[in-house]
Amino acid sequence: MRRLEFAPTLLLHLPLPIELDIKKPASIFAFAPDDKVLLTVHGNEGGILWDLTLASSPRKLDFKQDGTVSTQLITSAVLLGEGRGFILGFGINHPARHYEMVDGSPGFGASEKTLPAANDIAISQDGKIIVFSTGTTVEVWDATTVELKRVLSPTADDIRPSLFEKVVISGDSRITAAVNATGQLNVWGIEDDFYKVSPDRECGLDLGDGWQPASISLDKIFAMAVLRRPGPSQTDWVLVRWGFAYQGPDRTLYYQDFPPCALACIPPSPDFVIMLTAQGRVVVKDTVMFPICWTDKGASKKGKVVACGSSGSGKMLAVARSNGRLAVWRLNTQEVRMG
């Protein structure tokens, strides 16, 4: 058996640099595979590259100077690492774009690659594979060459009217999963023909309507997703958990409500979940909602938390506040063997 130990360390807690002329809080976070660089997306005002080693100053990516970005709502992003640029997704009504890093303003340029339109994009922990959730399929791409490798589809009997939204790759890069707004999970083998889908509402979960997938997680046994449902007074959050690897009658599919919180997310590897209060208190729990640790470092009554995201390794957490401030924690997860 094993368990994870946490010792959250606040790496960054600062306002947006005035000289970058970006005022909107970050809404999307993309960590490089090695966790050394963070890209924050601030609507059409631009992006900021943060050096998490603190060796260099934040760098602005001026989206206003690039016509392929400024008129589209950015819905997702991945940072390729090793100077290979980044990819921005604009939803299923506009193709995603690959941008290469260049010197000078705006700091990037669109490549000639033709990418699919996608609700979400994810990159593997080793930085070698990208997946796109195109609504009805999941496309697997080589992250080095930015070329299509494979298109994964549900079987004809499993096609549902609700489109795939969030997508994830397992830590060993062997499987990928996507979730739709009903909480239904689809899992595929990336190099083989493995495919499995969780039961639908008739014999599985019935969460009701109005849910929006917020994050998704996957390992060799479990696929999990965090969904949110905005309400008039508060946002509800729920964790869907499915042991897709088990054989026989499926008794591993269930959901659990989060306690009241402002934000919640799950890292790509389903070892724990993260909750935040409106003031920014970070609470880490296991996947049955048992508290593991918490920290008030970075919490404040000035500006409510509005967005959060974890790195592919699960070791980093970024949070944006309504007043523009950014906080980044190193969770310092360490695996401890038991028994």
Side-chain angles (χ1 to χ4, degrees), residues 29-35 37 76-82 84-87 98 120-133 139-144 146 167-173 175-176 190 216 267-269 310-314:
F29 306 96
F31 288 88
D34 60 7
D35 288 344
V37 181
S76 56
V78 296
L79 193 57
L80 300 181
E82 299 180 356
R84 290 184 281 121
F86 58 95
I87 296 174
H98 172 227
D120 191 30
I121 313 169
I123 188 168
S124 59
Q125 291 185 32
D126 61 10
K128 296 181 179 180
I129 300 173
I130 313 167
V131 288
F132 298 81
S133 64
E139 294 193 9
V140 181
W141 287 61
D142 186 298
T144 302
V146 194
V167 66
V168 68
I169 303 172
S170 63
D172 60 8
S173 301
I175 49 178
T176 182
I190 290 179
I216 182 173
S269 294
S310 68
S311 65
S313 68

Side-chain angles (χ1 to χ4, degrees), residues 139-200:
E139 294 193 9
V140 181
W141 287 61
D142 186 298
T144 302
T145 62
V146 194
E147 298 290 343
L148 177 64
K149 295 180 61 178
R150 192 177 182 191
V151 178
L152 305 172
S153 304
T155 63
D157 293 338
D158 292 323
I159 295 175
R160 299 288 181 261
S162 182
L163 300 177
F164 297 140
E165 297 194 31
K166 293 298 181 181
V167 66
V168 68
I169 303 172
S170 63
D172 60 8
S173 301
R174 293 184 177 181
I175 49 178
T176 182
V179 64
N180 64 22
T182 70
Q184 189 175 55
L185 291 150
N186 288 250
V187 181
W188 294 267
I190 290 179
E191 300 290 347
D192 57 33
D193 294 328
F194 176 82
Y195 171 69
K196 200 170 183 181
V197 58
S198 63
D200 61 16

Side-chain angles (χ1 to χ4, degrees), residues 9-248:
T9 301
L10 189 61
L11 295 181
L12 296 177
H13 186 220
L14 69 175
L16 297 176
I18 296 176
E19 65 273 16
L20 299 187
D21 192 30
I22 291 180
K23 298 179 174 59
K24 291 182 179 179
S27 57
I28 296 170
F29 306 96
F31 288 88
D34 60 7
D35 288 344
K36 292 181 179 180
V37 181
L38 168 65
L39 168 64
T40 55
V41 177
H42 304 257
N44 61 358
E45 289 189 347
I48 300 176
L49 287 174
W50 305 84
D51 181 352
L52 300 182
T53 69
L54 308 181
S56 60
S57 300
R59 175 184 176 186
K60 180 179 180 179
L61 303 177
D62 194 347
F63 294 165
K64 293 180 180 179
Q65 296 188 26
D66 188 291
T68 64
V69 177
S70 60
T71 60
Q72 303 296 328
L73 176 65
I74 302 170
T75 59
S76 56
V78 296
L79 193 57
L80 300 181
E82 299 180 356
R84 290 184 281 121
F86 58 95
I87 296 174
L88 298 180
F90 306 97
I92 59 173
N93 294 319
H94 191 278
R97 294 298 299 266
H98 172 227
Y99 297 91
E100 298 170 317
M101 306 306 297
V102 298
D103 294 330
S105 182
F108 63 96
S111 75
E112 298 298 321
K113 301 292 184 179
T114 300
L115 303 182
N119 278 327
D120 191 30
I121 313 169
I123 188 168
S124 59
Q125 291 185 32
D126 61 10
K128 296 181 179 180
I129 300 173
I130 313 167
V131 288
F132 298 81
S133 64
T134 67
T136 56
T137 67
V138 169
E139 294 193 9
V140 181
W141 287 61
D142 186 298
T144 302
T145 62
V146 194
E147 298 290 343
L148 177 64
K149 295 180 61 178
R150 192 177 182 191
V151 178
L152 305 172
S153 304
T155 63
D157 293 338
D158 292 323
I159 295 175
R160 299 288 181 261
S162 182
L163 300 177
F164 297 140
E165 297 194 31
K166 293 298 181 181
V167 66
V168 68
I169 303 172
S170 63
D172 60 8
S173 301
R174 293 184 177 181
I175 49 178
T176 182
V179 64
N180 64 22
T182 70
Q184 189 175 55
L185 291 150
N186 288 250
V187 181
W188 294 267
I190 290 179
E191 300 290 347
D192 57 33
D193 294 328
F194 176 82
Y195 171 69
K196 200 170 183 181
V197 58
S198 63
D200 61 16
R201 289 183 176 183
E202 293 182 358
C203 55
L205 303 181
D206 187 358
L207 301 178
D209 298 321
W211 292 96
Q212 303 165 358
S215 54
I216 182 173
S217 187
L218 180 67
D219 65 11
K220 297 178 182 179
I221 298 175
F222 287 98
M224 304 186 198
V226 172
L227 287 80
R228 62 189 294 269
R229 181 167 62 183
S233 58
Q234 69 176 29
T235 296
D236 296 324
W237 298 85
V238 66
L239 174 68
V240 175
R241 176 181 170 122
W242 179 42
F244 68 89
Y246 291 104
Q247 303 297 320

